[in-house]
């Protein structure tokens, strides 16, 4: 659906199948920027590509016209369609240098971040990142539509946020911890610094966060960034309390379970390696404070 004059958001559903056969329903938003240079922000997973192509046709454009694909970061559910897009449209692929390796190598991705049937849903491995985006870069999509680039690490080392001043649209990828959902980030201090950076972007009137199916507008944009920061600080406090309470011999999973109970999150999720990594990341940095 159209979110702002040049931005369309598509909510794409898929399943992660674990080795046990259990299927976990997931979603990820991807975006089409309708400017002279047709641009897609994140290609979701392999099975999402036909939905994105059909949507592009529904707005009177052709998938073959896609000139740019921007990957906000290298996780499989943001780059999984890259190979299909490369076959169909031969676009340029943009990403931050620090996530280039994970986008281009499924072996590397599987080693550092194994997730269920990720490999079946990820076609990014055969496709080169053709262009690197860094903090302060601007991408010209033609017709007065520009994309400003912010390096906002924490969720991954090369996570990018994007801002289109013409539309007031701020894309924060998976950087903003979404209150009430499972926290997933690699570096706590970097996540906090990235939220502070997003808070300083002037003129954002629409917030697009890929950890949610919602869109925030007006004053809610900055209020929601503040809510994400408060959630991060609360988790930080709870992790330290749990670690003190349980003592040195406690396992990662036990600490997660106590924290998730406090947060009202499903305790079964404390067995997931990616959330254990998130929770333990709090204990290798100084307290964030309030
Ligand atoms: Zn991610």
């Amino acid at each position: 659906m159209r979110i702002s004059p040049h931005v369309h958001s598509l909510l794409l559903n898929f399943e992660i199948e674990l080795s046990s056969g259990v299927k976990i329903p997931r979603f990820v938003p991807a975006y089409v920027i309708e400017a002279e240079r047709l641009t897609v922000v994140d290609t979701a997973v392999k099975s999402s590509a036909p939905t994105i192509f059909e949507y592009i046709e529904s707005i009177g454009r052709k998938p073959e016209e896609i000139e740019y694909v921007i990957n906000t970061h290298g996780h499989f559910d943001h780059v999984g369609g890259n190979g299909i897009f490369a076959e169909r449209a031969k676009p340029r692929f943009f990403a931050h240098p620090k996530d280039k390796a994970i986008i281009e190598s499924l072996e590397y991705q599987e080693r550092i971040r194994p997730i269920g049937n990720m490999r079946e849903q990820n076609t990014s491995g055969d496709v080169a990142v053709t262009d690197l985006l860094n903090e302060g870069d601007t991408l010209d999509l033609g017709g007065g539509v520009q994309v400003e680039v912010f390096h906002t690490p924490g969720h991954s080392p090369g996570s990018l946020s994007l801002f289109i001043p013409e539309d007031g649209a701020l894309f924060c990828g998976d950087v903003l911890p979404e209150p009430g959902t499972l926290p997933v980030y690699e570096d706590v201090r970097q996540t906090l610094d990235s939220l502070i950076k997003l808070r300083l972007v002037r003129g954002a009137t629409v917030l697009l966060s890929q950890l949610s199916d919602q869109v925030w507008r007006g004053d809610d944009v900055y209020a929601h960034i503040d809510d994400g920061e408060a959630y991060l600080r609360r988790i930080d406090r709870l992790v330290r309390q749990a670690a003190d309470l349980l003592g040195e011999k406690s396992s990662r999973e036990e600490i997660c379970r106590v924290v998730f109970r406090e947060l009202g999150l499903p305790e079964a999720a404390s067995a997931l390696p990616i959330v254990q990594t998130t929770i333990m990341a709090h204990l290798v940095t100084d307290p964030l404070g309030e």
Side-chain angles (χ1 to χ4, degrees):
M1 73 180 193
R2 188 186 292 274
I3 298 294
S4 63
H6 300 93
V7 177
H8 302 258
S9 174
L10 287 80
L11 196 63
L12 301 157
N13 294 298
F14 63 99
E15 285 179 335
I16 296 177
E17 188 172 344
L18 304 179
S19 52
S20 59
V22 172
K23 291 180 179 175
I24 302 172
R26 299 283 299 166
F27 68 84
V28 64
Y31 311 107
V32 174
I33 307 175
E34 190 186 1
E36 284 177 17
R37 293 186 191 89
L38 191 62
T39 300
V40 171
V41 177
D42 287 343
T43 58
V45 295
K46 181 183 176 184
S47 58
S48 311
T51 310
I52 301 173
F53 294 154
E54 275 169 32
Y55 185 84
I56 287 171
E57 282 168 354
S58 79
I59 60 170
R61 302 286 291 258
K62 294 193 185 72
E64 291 73 16
E65 288 177 60
I66 301 166
E67 286 189 56
Y68 296 164
V69 167
I70 304 172
N71 290 141
T72 58
H73 62 292
H75 293 161
F76 82 100
D77 51 339
H78 295 255
V79 304
N82 281 13
I84 313 278
F85 278 69
E87 276 174 23
R88 182 82 184 252
K90 300 199 170 35
R92 284 162 62 182
F93 288 88
F94 294 79
H96 189 273
K98 288 199 168 164
D99 274 18
K100 179 176 159 68
I102 198 173
I103 293 171
E104 294 178 345
S105 169
L106 299 194
E107 288 76 20
Y108 178 53
Q109 171 140 189
E110 206 157 58
R111 186 152 40 86
I112 64 168
R113 206 169 183 273
I115 299 176
N117 63 336
M118 174 276 284
R119 193 178 268 257
E120 289 160 32
Q121 282 287 4
N122 191 349
T123 62
S124 76
D126 296 331
V127 182
V129 172
T130 54
D131 297 78
L132 298 175
L133 288 176
N134 286 288
E135 171 77 20
D137 285 350
T138 300
L139 204 56
D140 185 4
L141 306 190
V145 181
Q146 310 257 330
V147 179
E148 296 178 1
V149 177
F150 299 92
H151 181 214
T152 48
H155 176 74
S156 76
S159 283
L160 293 173
S161 293
L162 309 170
F163 183 52
I164 302 180
E166 180 90 355
D167 287 31
L170 180 60
F171 305 71
C172 63
D174 283 355
V175 172
L176 178 62
E178 190 59 42
T181 69
L182 290 179
V184 181
Y185 36 76
E186 294 178 18
D187 188 300
V188 175
R189 182 62 57 174
Q190 284 183 353
T191 299
L192 178 64
D193 289 346
S194 291
L195 296 179
I196 291 167
K197 188 184 282 188
L198 289 174
R199 195 70 177 75
L200 293 172
V201 175
R202 287 292 117 221
T205 53
V206 182
L207 178 66
L208 297 153
S209 170
Q210 286 170 297
L211 293 175
S212 174
D213 57 1
Q214 287 186 56
V215 175
W216 290 268
R217 294 180 185 274
D219 292 344
D220 290 344
V221 169
Y222 296 100
H224 191 65
I225 298 171
D226 289 346
D227 288 346
E229 182 182 332
Y231 190 51
L232 182 73
R233 290 184 191 275
R234 181 168 178 227
I235 296 168
D236 192 64
R237 187 162 34 82
L238 291 173
V239 173
R240 290 168 201 287
Q241 281 173 2
D244 285 347
L245 189 76
L246 294 167
E248 274 177 19
K249 292 205 175 107
S250 56
S251 70
R252 298 156 67 98
E253 191 168 341
E254 284 170 324
I255 295 174
C256 285
R257 201 175 305 124
V258 169
V259 172
F260 285 7
R261 196 180 303 145
E262 288 289 324
L263 291 170
L265 298 173
E267 288 179 43
S270 51
L272 293 172
I274 58 168
V275 296
Q276 289 178 9
T277 302
T278 302
I279 293 303
M280 299 316 282
H282 284 270
L283 297 175
V284 295
T285 188
D286 290 335
L288 299 184
E290 295 303 318

